């Protein structure tokens, strides 16, 4: 009695997306969208602080400067300047002394601006503070912001959130397209849907114009990210289509 040969496992047709690819795109897209949601959840507090900073007046013009909400100025002496590297990022520091009774402290400058380049140990500078933040350093007529200037963080956080959201949305849209292709062997490309996602992100960036002073930077970063994602998506889909037709 002859035994019938056992059936061979069904092989995946060439060009059909793998299940691992669908899962990978879904996980990455979900993680990016979740990270963007966390950034957006923390954004209102940063925007409120930036608004308070923009509304602050010099301490000489307010009746109760001790509350810390005014803009204070303190004379200081430069102890040293330095440059450090962390994860390939260059940082510029200035160590200053306010008085002999108080310990020296370091100020991280934004870039190698005109103040940092001109300073030497012993130079007299002006420290500009708001609440517990040193937001600017002055030397004569020159001014340079520090990395703790309150009105810059919300813009960076908003731009990063927009970038994460658009990239995450594209990953999730790509996962849905790959899943549909596995189920129906569809060959249409979701280019139009990807463009809609990116257009929606740009609209969200435009709405941010009501809450930040440097909207042009947010729009520029969002537009650049959307253009890069769109171009990469189109090239990827065209490559997949050619492989499927071959």
């Amino acid at each position: 009695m002859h035994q019938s040969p056992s059936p061979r496992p069904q092989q995946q047709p060439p060009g059909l997306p793998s299940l691992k690819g669908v899962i990978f795109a879904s996980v990455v897209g979900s993680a990016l969208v979740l990270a963007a949601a966390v950034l957006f959840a923390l954004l209102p507090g940063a925007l409120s602080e930036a608004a308070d900073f923009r509304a602050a007046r010099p301490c000489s013009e307010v009746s109760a400067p001790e509350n810390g909400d005014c803009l204070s100025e303190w004379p200081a002496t430069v102890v040293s300047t330095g440059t450090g590297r962390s994860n390939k990022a260059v940082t510029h520091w200035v160590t200053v002394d306010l008085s002999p009774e108080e310990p020296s402290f370091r100020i991280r400058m934004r870039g190698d601006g005109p103040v940092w380049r001109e300073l030497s140990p012993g130079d007299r500078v002006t420290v500009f503070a708001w609440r517990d933040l040193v937001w600017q350093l002055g030397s004569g007529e020159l001014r340079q912001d520090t990395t703790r200037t309150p009105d810059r963080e919300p813009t960076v956080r908003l731009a990063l959130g927009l970038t994460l959201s658009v990239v995450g949305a594209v990953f999730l849209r790509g996962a849905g397209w790959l899943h549909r292709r596995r189920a129906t062997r569809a060959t249409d490309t979701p280019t139009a849907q990807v463009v809609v996602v990116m257009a929606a992100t740009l609209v969200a960036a435009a709405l941010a114009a009501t809450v930040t002073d440097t909207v042009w930077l947010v729009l520029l970063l969002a537009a650049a990210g959307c253009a890069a994602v769109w171009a990469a998506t189109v090239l990827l889909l065209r490559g997949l289509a050619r492989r499927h037709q071959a």
Side-chain angles (χ1 to χ4, degrees), residues 164-186:
L164 292 176
S165 63
V166 65
V167 176
V170 170
F171 266 96
L172 290 176
R173 181 63 189 89
W177 175 70
L178 292 174
H179 176 71
R180 189 180 76 248
R181 224 184 133 187
R182 280 178 55 85
T184 64
R185 298 185 181 182

Side-chain angles (χ1 to χ4, degrees), residues 12-160:
Q12 178 176 292
L16 192 65
S18 66
L19 182 59
K20 290 182 179 180
V22 178
I23 296 175
F24 175 79
S26 301
V27 171
V28 172
S30 300
L32 293 177
V33 171
L34 180 60
V38 172
L39 286 175
F40 289 142
L42 299 175
L43 190 59
L47 292 173
S48 176
E49 184 182 56
D52 292 343
F53 173 73
R54 291 192 297 268
R57 295 184 297 165
C59 291
S60 58
E61 300 178 5
V62 299
S63 57
E66 65 274 7
N67 59 13
D69 284 335
C70 59
L71 302 176
S72 59
E73 301 179 14
W74 304 95
T77 303
V78 175
V79 176
S80 63
T81 61
T83 302
R85 292 182 179 273
S86 176
N87 296 329
K88 298 182 179 181
V90 179
T91 57
H92 303 283
W93 299 90
V94 178
T95 303
V96 300
D97 243 340
L98 291 178
S99 67
E101 294 78 17
E102 298 182 11
S104 304
F105 62 94
R106 290 200 306 176
I107 302 173
R108 185 177 178 181
M109 307 302 296
R110 186 177 297 277
D112 58 341
V115 172
W116 184 85
R117 289 196 299 265
E118 297 294 330
L119 291 182
S120 300
D123 289 347
R124 298 291 292 175
V125 293
T126 302
V127 174
F128 297 89
W130 177 73
R131 294 181 178 174
D132 60 342
L133 304 175
V134 175
W135 64 277
Q136 197 173 66
L137 195 65
S139 176
E141 298 297 326
L142 300 177
R143 299 288 186 272
Q144 184 177 345
D145 289 347
T146 72
T147 57
R148 304 196 68 189
T149 304
D151 62 347
R152 294 183 182 272
E153 181 183 350
T155 300
V156 175
R157 186 175 297 177
L158 180 58
L160 181 59

